[in-house]
Short mmCIF file of all heavy atoms in Angstrom, two decimals:
data_model
loop_
_atom_site.label_atom_id
_atom_site.label_comp_id
_atom_site.label_asym_id
_atom_site.label_seq_id
_atom_site.Cartn_x
_atom_site.Cartn_y
_atom_site.Cartn_z
N MET B 48 -48.10 0.37 -15.21
CA MET B 48 -47.43 -0.41 -16.24
C MET B 48 -48.34 -1.56 -16.64
O MET B 48 -48.85 -2.29 -15.80
CB MET B 48 -46.10 -0.93 -15.70
CG MET B 48 -45.37 -1.80 -16.68
SD MET B 48 -43.81 -2.46 -16.06
CE MET B 48 -42.91 -0.98 -15.74
N ILE B 49 -48.53 -1.73 -17.91
CA ILE B 49 -49.35 -2.82 -18.44
C ILE B 49 -48.42 -3.98 -18.80
O ILE B 49 -47.50 -3.82 -19.60
CB ILE B 49 -50.14 -2.36 -19.66
CG1 ILE B 49 -51.08 -1.21 -19.27
CG2 ILE B 49 -50.92 -3.53 -20.26
CD1 ILE B 49 -51.77 -0.54 -20.44
N LEU B 50 -48.67 -5.13 -18.19
CA LEU B 50 -47.84 -6.30 -18.43
C LEU B 50 -48.54 -7.28 -19.36
O LEU B 50 -49.76 -7.41 -19.33
CB LEU B 50 -47.53 -7.01 -17.11
CG LEU B 50 -46.78 -6.21 -16.05
CD1 LEU B 50 -46.65 -7.03 -14.78
CD2 LEU B 50 -45.43 -5.77 -16.56
N ASP B 51 -47.73 -7.97 -20.16
CA ASP B 51 -48.26 -9.06 -20.98
C ASP B 51 -48.58 -10.25 -20.07
O ASP B 51 -48.09 -10.33 -18.94
CB ASP B 51 -47.23 -9.49 -22.03
CG ASP B 51 -46.98 -8.43 -23.08
OD1 ASP B 51 -47.88 -7.59 -23.30
OD2 ASP B 51 -45.89 -8.45 -23.69
N ASP B 52 -49.37 -11.18 -20.59
CA ASP B 52 -49.74 -12.36 -19.80
C ASP B 52 -48.51 -13.15 -19.36
O ASP B 52 -48.44 -13.62 -18.22
CB ASP B 52 -50.69 -13.26 -20.59
CG ASP B 52 -52.07 -12.64 -20.74
OD1 ASP B 52 -52.42 -11.74 -19.95
OD2 ASP B 52 -52.80 -13.05 -21.66
N TRP B 53 -47.53 -13.31 -20.26
CA TRP B 53 -46.34 -14.09 -19.91
C TRP B 53 -45.54 -13.38 -18.82
O TRP B 53 -44.93 -14.03 -17.96
CB TRP B 53 -45.48 -14.40 -21.13
CG TRP B 53 -44.72 -13.22 -21.68
CD1 TRP B 53 -45.12 -12.37 -22.65
CD2 TRP B 53 -43.43 -12.78 -21.27
NE1 TRP B 53 -44.17 -11.41 -22.87
CE2 TRP B 53 -43.11 -11.65 -22.03
CE3 TRP B 53 -42.50 -13.23 -20.33
CZ2 TRP B 53 -41.91 -10.95 -21.90
CZ3 TRP B 53 -41.31 -12.54 -20.18
CH2 TRP B 53 -41.02 -11.42 -20.96
N GLN B 54 -45.55 -12.04 -18.79
CA GLN B 54 -44.84 -11.30 -17.76
C GLN B 54 -45.53 -11.48 -16.41
O GLN B 54 -44.86 -11.63 -15.38
CB GLN B 54 -44.76 -9.82 -18.13
CG GLN B 54 -43.82 -9.55 -19.28
CD GLN B 54 -43.87 -8.11 -19.74
OE1 GLN B 54 -44.95 -7.55 -19.92
NE2 GLN B 54 -42.70 -7.51 -19.91
N LYS B 55 -46.85 -11.50 -16.41
CA LYS B 55 -47.59 -11.75 -15.17
C LYS B 55 -47.29 -13.14 -14.63
O LYS B 55 -47.16 -13.35 -13.43
CB LYS B 55 -49.09 -11.59 -15.42
CG LYS B 55 -49.51 -10.17 -15.72
CD LYS B 55 -50.97 -10.10 -16.10
CE LYS B 55 -51.36 -8.71 -16.56
NZ LYS B 55 -52.73 -8.63 -17.07
N GLU B 56 -47.16 -14.09 -15.56
CA GLU B 56 -46.83 -15.46 -15.16
C GLU B 56 -45.44 -15.53 -14.53
O GLU B 56 -45.22 -16.23 -13.54
CB GLU B 56 -46.92 -16.39 -16.37
CG GLU B 56 -46.76 -17.85 -16.04
CD GLU B 56 -46.94 -18.74 -17.26
OE1 GLU B 56 -47.49 -18.29 -18.28
OE2 GLU B 56 -46.51 -19.91 -17.17
N VAL B 57 -44.49 -14.80 -15.11
CA VAL B 57 -43.13 -14.76 -14.55
C VAL B 57 -43.16 -14.19 -13.14
O VAL B 57 -42.53 -14.71 -12.23
CB VAL B 57 -42.17 -13.97 -15.46
CG1 VAL B 57 -40.86 -13.68 -14.76
CG2 VAL B 57 -41.92 -14.72 -16.76
N LEU B 58 -43.89 -13.10 -12.94
CA LEU B 58 -43.98 -12.49 -11.61
C LEU B 58 -44.60 -13.44 -10.60
O LEU B 58 -44.20 -13.45 -9.43
CB LEU B 58 -44.81 -11.20 -11.66
CG LEU B 58 -44.08 -9.94 -12.10
CD1 LEU B 58 -45.03 -8.76 -12.10
CD2 LEU B 58 -42.88 -9.67 -11.24
N ALA B 59 -45.54 -14.25 -11.02
CA ALA B 59 -46.23 -15.17 -10.11
C ALA B 59 -45.43 -16.43 -9.84
O ALA B 59 -45.72 -17.15 -8.88
CB ALA B 59 -47.59 -15.53 -10.69
N THR B 60 -44.43 -16.72 -10.64
CA THR B 60 -43.66 -17.95 -10.51
C THR B 60 -42.75 -17.89 -9.28
O THR B 60 -42.04 -16.91 -9.07
CB THR B 60 -42.79 -18.19 -11.77
OG1 THR B 60 -43.66 -18.29 -12.89
CG2 THR B 60 -41.97 -19.45 -11.64
N LYS B 61 -42.79 -18.92 -8.48
CA LYS B 61 -41.91 -19.06 -7.32
C LYS B 61 -40.74 -19.94 -7.70
O LYS B 61 -40.88 -20.88 -8.47
CB LYS B 61 -42.66 -19.69 -6.15
CG LYS B 61 -43.93 -18.96 -5.76
CD LYS B 61 -43.61 -17.62 -5.17
CE LYS B 61 -44.91 -16.94 -4.74
NZ LYS B 61 -44.78 -15.52 -4.67
N GLY B 62 -39.56 -19.65 -7.17
CA GLY B 62 -38.39 -20.47 -7.43
C GLY B 62 -37.67 -20.04 -8.70
O GLY B 62 -37.83 -18.94 -9.19
N ASN B 63 -36.88 -20.96 -9.22
CA ASN B 63 -36.07 -20.68 -10.40
C ASN B 63 -36.92 -20.59 -11.65
O ASN B 63 -37.93 -21.29 -11.78
CB ASN B 63 -35.00 -21.76 -10.59
CG ASN B 63 -34.03 -21.80 -9.44
OD1 ASN B 63 -33.76 -20.79 -8.81
ND2 ASN B 63 -33.49 -22.97 -9.15
N ILE B 64 -36.48 -19.75 -12.58
CA ILE B 64 -37.17 -19.64 -13.87
C ILE B 64 -36.14 -19.59 -14.98
O ILE B 64 -34.99 -19.22 -14.76
CB ILE B 64 -38.09 -18.40 -13.95
CG1 ILE B 64 -37.28 -17.13 -13.73
CG2 ILE B 64 -39.22 -18.49 -12.97
CD1 ILE B 64 -38.07 -15.87 -13.99
N CYS B 65 -36.56 -19.97 -16.14
CA CYS B 65 -35.73 -19.89 -17.34
C CYS B 65 -36.61 -19.33 -18.45
O CYS B 65 -37.70 -19.85 -18.69
CB CYS B 65 -35.18 -21.27 -17.70
SG CYS B 65 -34.16 -21.26 -19.18
N LEU B 66 -36.16 -18.27 -19.09
CA LEU B 66 -36.94 -17.65 -20.16
C LEU B 66 -36.24 -17.85 -21.50
O LEU B 66 -35.03 -17.69 -21.60
CB LEU B 66 -37.08 -16.14 -19.93
CG LEU B 66 -37.81 -15.70 -18.67
CD1 LEU B 66 -37.77 -14.18 -18.55
CD2 LEU B 66 -39.24 -16.18 -18.70
N ARG B 67 -37.02 -18.17 -22.48
CA ARG B 67 -36.51 -18.26 -23.84
C ARG B 67 -37.46 -17.44 -24.71
O ARG B 67 -38.63 -17.80 -24.87
CB ARG B 67 -36.47 -19.70 -24.33
CG ARG B 67 -35.83 -19.84 -25.70
CD ARG B 67 -35.83 -21.26 -26.13
NE ARG B 67 -36.85 -21.39 -27.16
CZ ARG B 67 -37.07 -22.48 -27.85
NH1 ARG B 67 -36.39 -23.56 -27.57
NH2 ARG B 67 -37.99 -22.53 -28.77
N SER B 68 -36.95 -16.34 -25.22
CA SER B 68 -37.82 -15.47 -26.01
C SER B 68 -36.99 -14.62 -26.95
O SER B 68 -35.76 -14.62 -26.89
CB SER B 68 -38.67 -14.59 -25.09
OG SER B 68 -37.87 -13.65 -24.45
N GLY B 69 -37.68 -13.86 -27.75
CA GLY B 69 -37.03 -12.99 -28.71
C GLY B 69 -36.46 -11.74 -28.06
O GLY B 69 -36.54 -11.54 -26.85
N ARG B 70 -35.93 -10.89 -28.90
CA ARG B 70 -35.36 -9.63 -28.44
C ARG B 70 -36.45 -8.58 -28.26
O ARG B 70 -37.47 -8.61 -28.93
CB ARG B 70 -34.34 -9.13 -29.47
CG ARG B 70 -33.13 -10.03 -29.62
CD ARG B 70 -32.21 -9.60 -30.77
NE ARG B 70 -32.06 -8.17 -30.95
CZ ARG B 70 -31.13 -7.40 -30.37
NH1 ARG B 70 -30.26 -7.97 -29.58
NH2 ARG B 70 -31.09 -6.11 -30.61
N GLN B 71 -36.18 -7.65 -27.35
CA GLN B 71 -37.02 -6.47 -27.16
C GLN B 71 -38.48 -6.79 -26.81
O GLN B 71 -39.40 -6.15 -27.32
CB GLN B 71 -36.96 -5.59 -28.42
CG GLN B 71 -35.58 -5.12 -28.81
CD GLN B 71 -34.99 -4.15 -27.81
OE1 GLN B 71 -35.66 -3.24 -27.37
NE2 GLN B 71 -33.74 -4.36 -27.44
N VAL B 72 -38.69 -7.80 -25.96
CA VAL B 72 -40.06 -8.15 -25.58
C VAL B 72 -40.37 -7.82 -24.12
O VAL B 72 -41.51 -8.00 -23.69
CB VAL B 72 -40.37 -9.64 -25.85
CG1 VAL B 72 -40.30 -9.95 -27.33
CG2 VAL B 72 -39.45 -10.55 -25.06
N GLY B 73 -39.37 -7.35 -23.36
CA GLY B 73 -39.61 -6.96 -21.97
C GLY B 73 -39.03 -7.89 -20.93
O GLY B 73 -39.46 -7.86 -19.77
N LYS B 74 -38.06 -8.71 -21.30
CA LYS B 74 -37.45 -9.64 -20.34
C LYS B 74 -36.74 -8.89 -19.22
O LYS B 74 -36.94 -9.19 -18.05
CB LYS B 74 -36.46 -10.57 -21.04
CG LYS B 74 -37.06 -11.56 -22.00
CD LYS B 74 -36.00 -12.46 -22.61
CE LYS B 74 -34.92 -11.73 -23.36
NZ LYS B 74 -35.31 -11.08 -24.61
N SER B 75 -35.92 -7.93 -19.57
CA SER B 75 -35.16 -7.18 -18.57
C SER B 75 -36.09 -6.43 -17.63
O SER B 75 -35.86 -6.36 -16.42
CB SER B 75 -34.20 -6.19 -19.24
OG SER B 75 -33.22 -6.87 -19.96
N THR B 76 -37.15 -5.88 -18.18
CA THR B 76 -38.10 -5.14 -17.36
C THR B 76 -38.73 -6.04 -16.31
O THR B 76 -38.77 -5.70 -15.12
CB THR B 76 -39.20 -4.51 -18.24
OG1 THR B 76 -38.58 -3.61 -19.16
CG2 THR B 76 -40.22 -3.78 -17.41
N ILE B 77 -39.22 -7.20 -16.73
CA ILE B 77 -39.92 -8.07 -15.79
C ILE B 77 -38.96 -8.69 -14.78
O ILE B 77 -39.29 -8.84 -13.60
CB ILE B 77 -40.77 -9.14 -16.53
CG1 ILE B 77 -41.87 -9.66 -15.60
CG2 ILE B 77 -39.94 -10.26 -17.06
CD1 ILE B 77 -42.85 -8.63 -15.18
N ILE B 78 -37.75 -9.01 -15.20
CA ILE B 78 -36.77 -9.57 -14.28
C ILE B 78 -36.32 -8.52 -13.27
O ILE B 78 -36.11 -8.82 -12.10
CB ILE B 78 -35.57 -10.18 -15.04
CG1 ILE B 78 -36.04 -11.40 -15.84
CG2 ILE B 78 -34.43 -10.54 -14.10
CD1 ILE B 78 -36.68 -12.51 -15.01
N SER B 79 -36.20 -7.27 -13.70
CA SER B 79 -35.83 -6.21 -12.76
C SER B 79 -36.93 -5.99 -11.72
O SER B 79 -36.64 -5.78 -10.54
CB SER B 79 -35.50 -4.92 -13.50
OG SER B 79 -36.62 -4.39 -14.15
N ILE B 80 -38.17 -6.06 -12.13
CA ILE B 80 -39.28 -5.94 -11.19
C ILE B 80 -39.26 -7.10 -10.20
O ILE B 80 -39.41 -6.92 -9.00
CB ILE B 80 -40.64 -5.86 -11.93
CG1 ILE B 80 -40.73 -4.55 -12.71
CG2 ILE B 80 -41.80 -6.01 -10.96
CD1 ILE B 80 -41.91 -4.47 -13.66
N LYS B 81 -39.05 -8.30 -10.73
CA LYS B 81 -39.02 -9.50 -9.87
C LYS B 81 -37.87 -9.42 -8.87
O LYS B 81 -38.04 -9.72 -7.69
CB LYS B 81 -38.91 -10.75 -10.73
CG LYS B 81 -39.15 -12.04 -9.98
CD LYS B 81 -39.38 -13.17 -10.95
CE LYS B 81 -39.64 -14.47 -10.26
NZ LYS B 81 -40.95 -14.54 -9.63
N ALA B 82 -36.70 -8.97 -9.32
CA ALA B 82 -35.54 -8.83 -8.43
C ALA B 82 -35.79 -7.77 -7.37
O ALA B 82 -35.44 -7.95 -6.20
CB ALA B 82 -34.30 -8.50 -9.25
N ALA B 83 -36.40 -6.65 -7.76
CA ALA B 83 -36.69 -5.59 -6.80
C ALA B 83 -37.70 -6.06 -5.76
O ALA B 83 -37.53 -5.77 -4.55
CB ALA B 83 -37.22 -4.36 -7.54
N GLN B 84 -38.72 -6.77 -6.19
CA GLN B 84 -39.70 -7.29 -5.24
C GLN B 84 -39.06 -8.29 -4.28
O GLN B 84 -39.37 -8.31 -3.08
CB GLN B 84 -40.88 -7.93 -5.98
CG GLN B 84 -41.76 -6.92 -6.66
CD GLN B 84 -42.90 -7.56 -7.45
OE1 GLN B 84 -42.93 -8.76 -7.67
NE2 GLN B 84 -43.84 -6.73 -7.88
N PHE B 85 -38.15 -9.11 -4.79
CA PHE B 85 -37.42 -10.06 -3.94
C PHE B 85 -36.58 -9.30 -2.92
O PHE B 85 -36.52 -9.67 -1.74
CB PHE B 85 -36.55 -10.99 -4.78
CG PHE B 85 -35.85 -12.04 -3.98
CD1 PHE B 85 -36.47 -13.24 -3.70
CD2 PHE B 85 -34.57 -11.83 -3.49
CE1 PHE B 85 -35.84 -14.21 -2.93
CE2 PHE B 85 -33.92 -12.79 -2.74
CZ PHE B 85 -34.55 -13.99 -2.46
N ALA B 86 -35.91 -8.24 -3.37
CA ALA B 86 -35.06 -7.45 -2.47
C ALA B 86 -35.88 -6.82 -1.35
O ALA B 86 -35.44 -6.77 -0.20
CB ALA B 86 -34.33 -6.37 -3.26
N ILE B 87 -37.06 -6.33 -1.68
CA ILE B 87 -37.94 -5.73 -0.67
C ILE B 87 -38.38 -6.78 0.35
O ILE B 87 -38.39 -6.52 1.55
CB ILE B 87 -39.16 -5.06 -1.33
CG1 ILE B 87 -38.70 -3.83 -2.13
CG2 ILE B 87 -40.21 -4.69 -0.31
CD1 ILE B 87 -39.75 -3.27 -3.05
N ALA B 88 -38.74 -7.95 -0.14
CA ALA B 88 -39.25 -9.01 0.74
C ALA B 88 -38.16 -9.71 1.55
O ALA B 88 -38.44 -10.30 2.58
CB ALA B 88 -40.02 -10.03 -0.09
N HIS B 89 -36.93 -9.65 1.08
CA HIS B 89 -35.81 -10.36 1.73
C HIS B 89 -34.64 -9.40 1.93
O HIS B 89 -33.61 -9.50 1.25
CB HIS B 89 -35.38 -11.55 0.88
CG HIS B 89 -36.47 -12.52 0.61
ND1 HIS B 89 -37.32 -12.42 -0.47
CD2 HIS B 89 -36.88 -13.61 1.30
CE1 HIS B 89 -38.19 -13.40 -0.44
NE2 HIS B 89 -37.95 -14.14 0.63
N ALA B 90 -34.78 -8.52 2.88
CA ALA B 90 -33.79 -7.44 3.08
C ALA B 90 -32.39 -7.95 3.42
O ALA B 90 -31.41 -7.29 3.11
CB ALA B 90 -34.28 -6.51 4.18
N ASN B 91 -32.27 -9.10 4.03
CA ASN B 91 -30.96 -9.59 4.45
C ASN B 91 -30.34 -10.58 3.47
O ASN B 91 -29.42 -11.31 3.83
CB ASN B 91 -31.07 -10.23 5.83
CG ASN B 91 -31.45 -9.22 6.89
OD1 ASN B 91 -31.02 -8.08 6.83
ND2 ASN B 91 -32.27 -9.63 7.84
N LYS B 92 -30.82 -10.62 2.25
CA LYS B 92 -30.30 -11.54 1.24
C LYS B 92 -29.40 -10.79 0.26
O LYS B 92 -29.56 -9.60 0.03
CB LYS B 92 -31.44 -12.20 0.46
CG LYS B 92 -32.33 -13.08 1.29
CD LYS B 92 -31.63 -14.36 1.63
CE LYS B 92 -32.58 -15.29 2.37
NZ LYS B 92 -31.98 -16.56 2.66
N THR B 93 -28.49 -11.52 -0.35
CA THR B 93 -27.64 -10.98 -1.40
C THR B 93 -28.23 -11.38 -2.74
O THR B 93 -28.58 -12.54 -2.95
CB THR B 93 -26.20 -11.53 -1.29
OG1 THR B 93 -25.68 -11.14 -0.02
CG2 THR B 93 -25.32 -11.00 -2.40
N ILE B 94 -28.34 -10.43 -3.64
CA ILE B 94 -28.87 -10.69 -4.97
C ILE B 94 -27.76 -10.41 -5.98
O ILE B 94 -27.19 -9.32 -5.99
CB ILE B 94 -30.09 -9.79 -5.27
CG1 ILE B 94 -31.18 -10.05 -4.24
CG2 ILE B 94 -30.60 -10.03 -6.69
CD1 ILE B 94 -32.31 -9.05 -4.29
N LEU B 95 -27.46 -11.39 -6.79
CA LEU B 95 -26.44 -11.23 -7.82
C LEU B 95 -27.09 -10.85 -9.14
O LEU B 95 -28.07 -11.46 -9.54
CB LEU B 95 -25.65 -12.52 -8.01
CG LEU B 95 -24.86 -13.03 -6.81
CD1 LEU B 95 -24.19 -14.35 -7.16
CD2 LEU B 95 -23.82 -12.01 -6.39
N VAL B 96 -26.53 -9.84 -9.77
CA VAL B 96 -26.98 -9.44 -11.11
C VAL B 96 -25.82 -9.75 -12.04
O VAL B 96 -24.80 -9.06 -12.02
CB VAL B 96 -27.35 -7.94 -11.16
CG1 VAL B 96 -27.79 -7.55 -12.55
CG2 VAL B 96 -28.43 -7.62 -10.15
N ILE B 97 -25.97 -10.81 -12.84
CA ILE B 97 -24.88 -11.23 -13.70
C ILE B 97 -25.35 -11.30 -15.16
O ILE B 97 -26.52 -11.48 -15.44
CB ILE B 97 -24.30 -12.60 -13.27
CG1 ILE B 97 -25.40 -13.67 -13.28
CG2 ILE B 97 -23.67 -12.50 -11.90
CD1 ILE B 97 -24.90 -15.06 -13.02
N ALA B 98 -24.40 -11.11 -16.04
CA ALA B 98 -24.67 -11.18 -17.48
C ALA B 98 -23.37 -11.55 -18.18
O ALA B 98 -22.30 -11.56 -17.56
CB ALA B 98 -25.21 -9.84 -17.98
N SER B 99 -23.47 -11.82 -19.46
CA SER B 99 -22.27 -12.22 -20.21
C SER B 99 -21.27 -11.08 -20.36
O SER B 99 -20.08 -11.32 -20.50
CB SER B 99 -22.65 -12.78 -21.57
OG SER B 99 -23.36 -11.81 -22.31
N VAL B 100 -21.76 -9.85 -20.32
CA VAL B 100 -20.86 -8.68 -20.35
C VAL B 100 -21.29 -7.70 -19.26
O VAL B 100 -22.47 -7.62 -18.90
CB VAL B 100 -20.85 -7.97 -21.73
CG1 VAL B 100 -20.21 -8.85 -22.79
CG2 VAL B 100 -22.22 -7.55 -22.15
N GLU B 101 -20.35 -6.95 -18.73
CA GLU B 101 -20.61 -6.04 -17.61
C GLU B 101 -21.68 -5.00 -17.95
O GLU B 101 -22.51 -4.66 -17.12
CB GLU B 101 -19.32 -5.34 -17.20
CG GLU B 101 -19.48 -4.45 -16.00
CD GLU B 101 -18.18 -3.79 -15.58
OE1 GLU B 101 -17.20 -3.87 -16.34
OE2 GLU B 101 -18.17 -3.20 -14.49
N ARG B 102 -21.68 -4.51 -19.17
CA ARG B 102 -22.64 -3.49 -19.58
C ARG B 102 -24.08 -3.97 -19.38
O ARG B 102 -24.94 -3.23 -18.91
CB ARG B 102 -22.40 -3.10 -21.04
CG ARG B 102 -23.29 -1.99 -21.54
CD ARG B 102 -22.97 -1.68 -23.02
NE ARG B 102 -24.17 -1.29 -23.71
CZ ARG B 102 -25.05 -2.11 -24.28
NH1 ARG B 102 -24.84 -3.41 -24.26
NH2 ARG B 102 -26.12 -1.66 -24.89
N GLN B 103 -24.35 -5.22 -19.73
CA GLN B 103 -25.70 -5.77 -19.58
C GLN B 103 -26.10 -5.84 -18.11
O GLN B 103 -27.24 -5.51 -17.76
CB GLN B 103 -25.79 -7.15 -20.21
CG GLN B 103 -25.76 -7.14 -21.71
CD GLN B 103 -25.76 -8.56 -22.29
OE1 GLN B 103 -25.25 -9.49 -21.67
NE2 GLN B 103 -26.34 -8.70 -23.46
N SER B 104 -25.19 -6.27 -17.26
CA SER B 104 -25.53 -6.38 -15.84
C SER B 104 -25.74 -4.99 -15.23
O SER B 104 -26.61 -4.81 -14.38
CB SER B 104 -24.45 -7.15 -15.08
OG SER B 104 -23.20 -6.51 -15.18
N LEU B 105 -24.97 -3.99 -15.67
CA LEU B 105 -25.16 -2.63 -15.17
C LEU B 105 -26.52 -2.07 -15.61
O LEU B 105 -27.20 -1.40 -14.82
CB LEU B 105 -24.04 -1.72 -15.65
CG LEU B 105 -22.67 -1.95 -15.00
CD1 LEU B 105 -21.61 -1.09 -15.66
CD2 LEU B 105 -22.73 -1.69 -13.51
N LEU B 106 -26.92 -2.34 -16.83
CA LEU B 106 -28.22 -1.88 -17.31
C LEU B 106 -29.36 -2.51 -16.51
O LEU B 106 -30.33 -1.84 -16.14
CB LEU B 106 -28.40 -2.18 -18.80
CG LEU B 106 -27.55 -1.34 -19.76
CD1 LEU B 106 -27.67 -1.88 -21.19
CD2 LEU B 106 -27.96 0.11 -19.71
N LEU B 107 -29.24 -3.80 -16.24
CA LEU B 107 -30.26 -4.48 -15.44
C LEU B 107 -30.29 -3.94 -14.01
O LEU B 107 -31.35 -3.69 -13.45
CB LEU B 107 -30.03 -5.99 -15.44
CG LEU B 107 -31.11 -6.82 -14.78
CD1 LEU B 107 -32.47 -6.60 -15.43
CD2 LEU B 107 -30.75 -8.30 -14.83
N PHE B 108 -29.11 -3.70 -13.45
CA PHE B 108 -29.03 -3.14 -12.09
C PHE B 108 -29.68 -1.76 -12.04
O PHE B 108 -30.40 -1.44 -11.09
CB PHE B 108 -27.57 -3.08 -11.63
CG PHE B 108 -27.41 -2.62 -10.21
CD1 PHE B 108 -27.86 -3.41 -9.16
CD2 PHE B 108 -26.82 -1.40 -9.93
CE1 PHE B 108 -27.72 -2.98 -7.85
CE2 PHE B 108 -26.68 -0.97 -8.62
CZ PHE B 108 -27.12 -1.76 -7.58
N GLU B 109 -29.46 -0.95 -13.06
CA GLU B 109 -30.08 0.38 -13.12
C GLU B 109 -31.60 0.27 -13.21
O GLU B 109 -32.33 1.06 -12.60
CB GLU B 109 -29.54 1.17 -14.31
CG GLU B 109 -28.12 1.64 -14.11
CD GLU B 109 -27.54 2.31 -15.35
OE1 GLU B 109 -28.25 2.44 -16.37
OE2 GLU B 109 -26.37 2.70 -15.29
N LYS B 110 -32.10 -0.72 -13.95
CA LYS B 110 -33.56 -0.92 -14.02
C LYS B 110 -34.12 -1.34 -12.67
O LYS B 110 -35.21 -0.91 -12.28
CB LYS B 110 -33.91 -1.99 -15.07
CG LYS B 110 -33.84 -1.49 -16.48
CD LYS B 110 -34.38 -2.53 -17.45
CE LYS B 110 -34.37 -1.96 -18.86
NZ LYS B 110 -35.23 -2.69 -19.75
N ILE B 111 -33.40 -2.17 -11.95
CA ILE B 111 -33.83 -2.59 -10.61
C ILE B 111 -33.91 -1.37 -9.69
O ILE B 111 -34.91 -1.16 -8.99
CB ILE B 111 -32.89 -3.66 -10.04
CG1 ILE B 111 -32.98 -4.95 -10.86
CG2 ILE B 111 -33.22 -3.95 -8.56
CD1 ILE B 111 -31.88 -5.95 -10.55
N LEU B 112 -32.86 -0.56 -9.70
CA LEU B 112 -32.85 0.63 -8.85
C LEU B 112 -33.95 1.61 -9.24
O LEU B 112 -34.59 2.22 -8.37
CB LEU B 112 -31.48 1.33 -8.92
CG LEU B 112 -30.32 0.60 -8.27
CD1 LEU B 112 -29.03 1.40 -8.47
CD2 LEU B 112 -30.58 0.34 -6.82
N SER B 113 -34.20 1.74 -10.53
CA SER B 113 -35.26 2.64 -11.00
C SER B 113 -36.62 2.17 -10.51
O SER B 113 -37.44 2.98 -10.05
CB SER B 113 -35.24 2.70 -12.52
OG SER B 113 -36.31 3.47 -13.00
N TYR B 114 -36.88 0.87 -10.58
CA TYR B 114 -38.14 0.32 -10.08
C TYR B 114 -38.28 0.58 -8.58
O TYR B 114 -39.36 0.98 -8.12
CB TYR B 114 -38.23 -1.17 -10.40
CG TYR B 114 -39.49 -1.79 -9.87
CD1 TYR B 114 -40.70 -1.66 -10.56
CD2 TYR B 114 -39.50 -2.52 -8.69
CE1 TYR B 114 -41.87 -2.22 -10.07
CE2 TYR B 114 -40.66 -3.08 -8.19
CZ TYR B 114 -41.84 -2.93 -8.88
OH TYR B 114 -43.00 -3.48 -8.40
N LEU B 115 -37.20 0.35 -7.83
CA LEU B 115 -37.26 0.58 -6.38
C LEU B 115 -37.49 2.05 -6.07
O LEU B 115 -38.21 2.39 -5.13
CB LEU B 115 -35.97 0.09 -5.72
CG LEU B 115 -35.78 -1.42 -5.66
CD1 LEU B 115 -34.38 -1.77 -5.21
CD2 LEU B 115 -36.82 -2.05 -4.75
N HIS B 116 -36.86 2.92 -6.83
CA HIS B 116 -37.00 4.35 -6.60
C HIS B 116 -38.43 4.83 -6.87
O HIS B 116 -38.98 5.65 -6.14
CB HIS B 116 -36.02 5.13 -7.47
CG HIS B 116 -36.05 6.60 -7.24
ND1 HIS B 116 -36.83 7.44 -8.00
CD2 HIS B 116 -35.44 7.36 -6.30
CE1 HIS B 116 -36.68 8.68 -7.55
NE2 HIS B 116 -35.84 8.66 -6.53
N ASP B 117 -39.02 4.31 -7.95
CA ASP B 117 -40.39 4.71 -8.30
C ASP B 117 -41.38 4.18 -7.30
O ASP B 117 -42.33 4.79 -6.95
CB ASP B 117 -40.76 4.20 -9.70
CG ASP B 117 -39.97 4.93 -10.78
OD1 ASP B 117 -39.39 5.99 -10.49
OD2 ASP B 117 -39.94 4.42 -11.91
#
């Protein structure tokens, strides 16, 4: 997977992050990768996947699982 520079920066960021960007630029993809990497590194932690509507959180959760599966 080829990442944009800003996506690489997000992956390298430790702690809390806040993204402000346009639509369809890869936010969900990079956040799902970051969440999956966190899950691998912290097996005994709980990770919440939340969104303004359930459909969005389910889509993000599916992306996380897909990344872990691959």
Side-chain angles (χ1 to χ4, degrees):
M48 178 181 299
I49 299 171
L50 300 176
D51 292 336
D52 289 340
W53 73 267
Q54 289 173 313
K55 293 174 187 174
E56 187 177 343
V57 168
L58 277 180
T60 300
K61 305 292 182 203
N63 297 330
I64 59 172
C65 180
L66 298 176
R67 185 181 106 174
S68 69
R70 295 173 37 91
Q71 302 293 315
V72 296
K74 293 181 301 291
S75 295
T76 300
I77 202 63
I78 293 302
S79 65
I80 293 170
K81 191 165 181 72
Q84 289 178 348
F85 184 87
I87 291 168
H89 302 89
N91 295 324
K92 296 286 184 177
T93 300
I94 301 169
L95 298 178
V96 179
I97 58 174
S99 59
V100 292
E101 184 178 11
R102 183 180 146 274
Q103 288 176 330
S104 60
L105 289 174
L106 289 172
L107 186 58
F108 185 67
E109 288 174 2
K110 283 188 177 198
I111 294 167
L112 290 178
S113 175
Y114 178 80
L115 288 170
H116 183 266
D117 291 344

